[in-house]
Amino acid sequence: TTVEEHRRLGGDVSVDVSFRYLEFFLEDDEELAGISERYTKGELLSGEMKSLAVACIQEVIQRHSEARAKVTDNLIQQVMTVRNLE
């Protein structure tokens, strides 16, 4: 669709892949609802939705990388050690 059509008709969040990623990764349900509303009304374009998804996923990856950097060989050994169940 063209930008004009999207502005007039709005988008369909049920088939938009970027929105589906946001459903999974965005932690703020109110923000997600606002994005859905704006996209459905045609106020938010597909490219803008993609940018929001990229920013959200980059933040998740950054947090994961920081957490992963804190994992040491010693910690892995502690977690993987076989222990008797009580």
Side-chain angles (χ1 to χ4, degrees):
T1 63
T2 66
V3 171
E4 293 80 19
E5 287 174 330
H6 182 84
R7 293 277 187 214
R8 186 169 37 88
L9 302 173
D12 184 356
V13 294
S14 70
V15 296
D16 188 274
V17 174
S18 299
F19 185 79
R20 302 306 244 170
Y21 278 118
L22 286 171
E23 283 183 309
F24 188 77
F25 289 109
L26 187 62
E27 296 176 4
D28 186 337
D29 291 339
E30 288 182 21
E31 184 178 358
L32 182 66
I35 291 169
S36 174
E37 182 178 339
R38 290 173 44 219
Y39 188 70
T40 302
K41 289 180 176 180
E43 297 170 0
L44 185 70
L45 298 175
S46 181
E48 295 167 317
M49 176 80 78
K50 289 174 186 171
S51 294
L52 291 172
V54 166
C56 178
I57 294 167
Q58 284 176 333
E59 184 180 317
V60 170
I61 291 170
Q62 179 65 34
R63 287 194 320 256
H64 175 76
S65 295
E66 290 169 0
R68 177 64 182 99
K70 295 177 184 177
V71 175
T72 63
D73 290 338
N74 186 36
L75 178 60
I76 292 172
Q77 184 60 39
Q78 288 177 353
V79 171
M80 299 304 290
T81 300
V82 177
R83 293 177 291 279
N84 291 328
L85 297 175
E86 296 179 10

